[in-house]
């Protein structure tokens, strides 16, 4: 049994190291993805995914654009997200569009942040 302990410890350490490296890579990928994703707020309710994508195409390649829709009224909530192809294009779009006016409303463009977990239990 004593001869088996070093092998078990070695195997356990390798498995732990593999998990740490894997989680680290996932976090780095998530961080890079968030750096290219922009929050776009104070949009007119008439804005669509296509119009948002067309608007931000002036700053570079748009990977995705989506307007957040209220699930009950099926109406725009007035904000959305744009994912640019590169971090440089995202920075350029933020500089170009933050504070610019669309249909009389000043847009807010900022880096997207991960969604916080909501606790609806009232705790």
């Amino acid at each position: 049994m004593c001869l088996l302990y070093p092998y078990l410890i070695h195997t356990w350490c390798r498995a732990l190291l593999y998990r740490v490296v894997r989680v680290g890579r996932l976090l780095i990928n998530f961080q890079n993805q968030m750096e290219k994703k922009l929050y776009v707020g104070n949009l007119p309710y008439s804005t669509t995914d296509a119009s948002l994508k067309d608007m931000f195409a002036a700053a570079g390649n748009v990977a995705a654009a989506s307007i957040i829709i209220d699930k009950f009224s099926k109406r725009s909530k007035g904000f959305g997200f744009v994912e640019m192809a590169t971090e440089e294009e995202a920075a350029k779009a933020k500089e170009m569009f933050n504070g610019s006016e669309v249909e009389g409303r000043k847009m807010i463009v900022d880096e997207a942040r991960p969604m916080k977990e909501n606790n609806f239990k009232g705790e």
Side-chain angles (χ1 to χ4, degrees):
M1 187 69 178
C2 289
L3 295 175
L4 191 58
Y5 282 131
Y7 174 75
L8 291 175
I9 290 172
H10 174 73
T11 305
W12 182 79
C13 287
R14 281 185 63 196
L16 181 63
L17 181 62
Y18 172 76
R19 286 189 178 103
V20 167
V21 168
R22 186 168 174 224
V23 167
R25 285 183 186 155
L26 288 173
L27 287 174
I28 289 169
N29 288 340
F30 182 73
Q31 179 72 23
N32 289 341
Q33 183 181 14
M34 291 306 290
E35 288 174 357
K36 296 187 289 184
K37 195 170 189 178
L38 299 171
Y39 163 81
V40 185
N42 202 26
L43 290 170
Y45 295 115
S46 61
T47 308
T48 63
D49 294 347
S51 64
L52 187 63
K53 187 172 184 173
D54 291 341
M55 186 187 319
F56 276 79
N61 294 332
V62 178
S66 61
I67 298 291
I68 305 304
I69 305 293
D70 182 47
K71 63 182 174 182
F72 298 112
S73 68
K74 307 293 187 223
R75 186 177 144 197
S76 167
K77 287 189 171 187
F79 71 94
F81 295 94
V82 175
E83 187 173 345
M84 302 301 286
T86 65
E87 293 174 34
E88 292 80 20
E89 290 173 343
K92 182 180 175 185
K94 182 178 173 184
E95 183 180 315
M96 280 178 66
F97 294 110
N98 190 29
S100 64
E101 282 197 23
V102 177
E103 295 181 28
R105 298 178 71 130
K106 278 193 171 185
M107 275 196 304
I108 299 167
V109 181
D110 201 3
E111 291 177 14
R113 288 175 273 191
M115 194 168 93
K116 294 180 183 175
E117 189 174 318
N118 290 330
N119 186 359
F120 292 110
K121 296 179 183 177
E123 297 175 1

